[in-house]
Amino acid sequence: MLVLGIESSCDDTSAAVVEDGTRVRSCVVARQDEFHAKYGGVVPEIASRKHLEVIAAVVREAHARAGIEKSEIGGVAVSQGPGLVGSLIVGLNFAKAYAYAANLPFIGINHVEGHLWASRLGDRPAEPPFVGLVVSGGHTNLYLVDADRSMRLVGRTVDDAAGECFDKVAKMLGLGFPGGAMIDRLAAGGDPEGVDLPRPLIRSGDFRFSFSGLKTAVRTHLERRDMPPEGRDLGDLCASLNAAVVDVLLEKLQVAAREFGVGRVVIAGGVAANRMLRESAARRFEGAGIELSVPDFLFCTDNAAMIAAAGDSLLTAGVRSPWTANAYASIKKVSRDAAS
């Protein structure tokens, strides 16, 4: 089956065509970074207006790159939340209209959970059961995904997400937006032990995360200096921040895999593109005899292919969302109907 996926939860407008939940026939992403860079972060009203301007063209381009006619699409999956409500409404209403006009089944997808299904895109799709870690600018969530693909949230951040910590520190350092990628780039030439930074909640005995204190520790370090860090000092600070975040994420993930008795872990979300995280995870889990799955770089950040992949098995099983489905800003259960 070919599923059309639509994603507009934040500032990226994306449409994709995915075959049988694993083969990406096309994935188009229209980014808005240049419009938000001057503000140091995403401006919700600008984001929603830009989605309105480009969504129809992005969907047409997804069809064209897939080399298919509209009549070949078997269902539509769309991000329903969490995210920026104004942005989500654009994609959700477009998806409803598309599905209704073409008499196609329609399914709303939890955007955060959708990130985990990016691990199914490609030649070696990750099969559950596994423990999945979704790390992004807005979320740091730990899930147990059972063999039947049901998901249980077992841990999350109590304050800032890991990606939010990166972005806020980047803003302190005047690195621009988006900040996580800049810190990752600068960290490549730095010493991860160059600055002594805490590992919050790393030994808490549960699956809570906290990165607000880490951000504060960086601010305190900067306030003690006579001038902003440059050159090697800047690289050392970025590498040390990277290492602190990565240590916490991987320790919690490994403990969860052991506690729940699964031999596979998935790391997904925008921060999964972080090179230190990918390299450290590969070493750690290989040594522990645990299979690791991390999506290709293209599918770490927000994209519609992961939404189509998440929707494929639900649509195939006859699960639908009602036409009254609405967008939501925070994590909650998506409203769905079982087909009669």
Side-chain angles (χ1 to χ4, degrees):
M1 182 169 71
L2 295 178
V3 174
L4 172 67
I6 295 175
E7 154 62 22
S8 65
S9 63
C10 190
D11 60 327
D12 290 339
T13 313
S14 182
V17 176
V18 174
E19 181 178 348
D20 296 332
T22 60
R23 183 187 172 201
V24 181
R25 296 282 294 270
S26 67
C27 185
V28 180
V29 182
R31 305 197 185 279
Q32 302 180 16
D33 292 351
E34 63 180 287
F35 300 105
H36 301 283
K38 69 179 80 173
Y39 304 105
V42 176
V43 180
E45 184 174 346
I46 293 176
S48 57
R49 288 176 181 272
K50 292 299 176 183
H51 287 307
L52 278 170
E53 291 173 9
V54 303
I55 190 166
V58 167
V59 172
R60 284 196 299 270
E61 182 65 16
H63 281 97
R65 292 189 190 180
I68 61 168
E69 300 295 330
K70 290 182 181 179
S71 59
E72 296 179 69
I73 295 294
V76 181
V78 61
S79 290
Q80 188 179 346
L84 302 176
V85 171
S87 293
L88 285 162
I89 286 173
V90 175
L92 182 63
N93 286 342
F94 189 97
K96 285 183 186 180
Y98 184 108
Y100 187 83
N103 195 28
L104 291 173
F106 147 78
I107 190 76
I109 300 296
N110 180 311
H111 167 82
V112 181
E113 295 177 0
H115 273 293
L116 289 177
W117 299 118
S119 64
R120 291 190 50 75
L121 301 173
D123 298 330
R124 297 180 59 193
E127 295 292 345
F130 58 75
V131 175
L133 175 66
V134 179
V135 206
S136 66
H139 306 279
T140 301
N141 291 4
L142 197 62
Y143 293 88
L144 175 62
V145 182
D146 292 322
D148 62 359
R149 300 191 183 185
S150 62
M151 295 187 182
R152 177 159 61 99
L153 181 65
V154 296
R156 61 188 299 186
T157 182
V158 299
D159 42 52
D160 288 357
E164 184 180 2
C165 176
F166 282 135
D167 287 338
K168 288 181 176 178
V169 170
K171 192 169 184 178
M172 290 180 208
L173 297 171
L175 299 180
F177 174 84
M182 293 295 296
I183 286 178
D184 190 30
R185 198 152 44 239
L186 289 165
D191 178 3
E193 298 181 356
V195 179
D196 184 20
L197 293 176
R199 270 64 173 164
L201 298 183
I202 194 168
R203 304 286 184 229
S204 63
D206 54 33
F207 301 122
R208 293 176 301 146
F209 298 89
S210 171
F211 296 102
S212 178
L214 181 56
K215 174 193 65 182
T216 302
V218 173
R219 179 182 289 114
T220 300
H221 170 77
L222 294 174
E223 289 173 350
R224 288 172 177 167
R225 296 175 56 89
D226 295 331
M227 62 187 67
E230 297 179 347
R232 182 172 179 176
D233 288 343
L234 180 58
D236 288 351
L237 177 58
C238 290
S240 298
L241 175 64
N242 239 355
V245 172
V246 167
D247 285 351
V248 173
L249 294 175
L250 297 186
E251 177 67 18
K252 299 273 187 176
L253 182 56
Q254 184 171 354
V255 170
R258 183 169 61 246
E259 182 169 315
F260 294 116
V262 298
R264 181 178 295 112
V265 295
V266 169
I267 303 175
V271 179
N274 181 289
R275 294 183 186 277
M276 182 182 289
L277 176 60
R278 295 171 82 97
E279 293 167 2
S280 298
R283 290 192 300 270
R284 175 185 283 243
F285 291 113
E286 182 180 5
I290 297 173
E291 182 181 331
L292 170 68
S293 179
V294 186
D296 290 342
F297 285 103
L298 174 64
F299 302 122
C300 289
T301 53
D302 291 349
N303 67 90
M306 69 185 193
I307 301 302
D312 178 83
S313 60
L314 292 169
L315 291 168
T316 300
V319 183
R320 309 287 186 261
S321 290
W323 296 112
T324 55
N326 206 350
Y328 56 90
S330 58
I331 291 179
K332 59 186 271 190
K333 186 173 178 60
V334 180
S335 176
R336 292 170 180 153
D337 293 333
S340 58

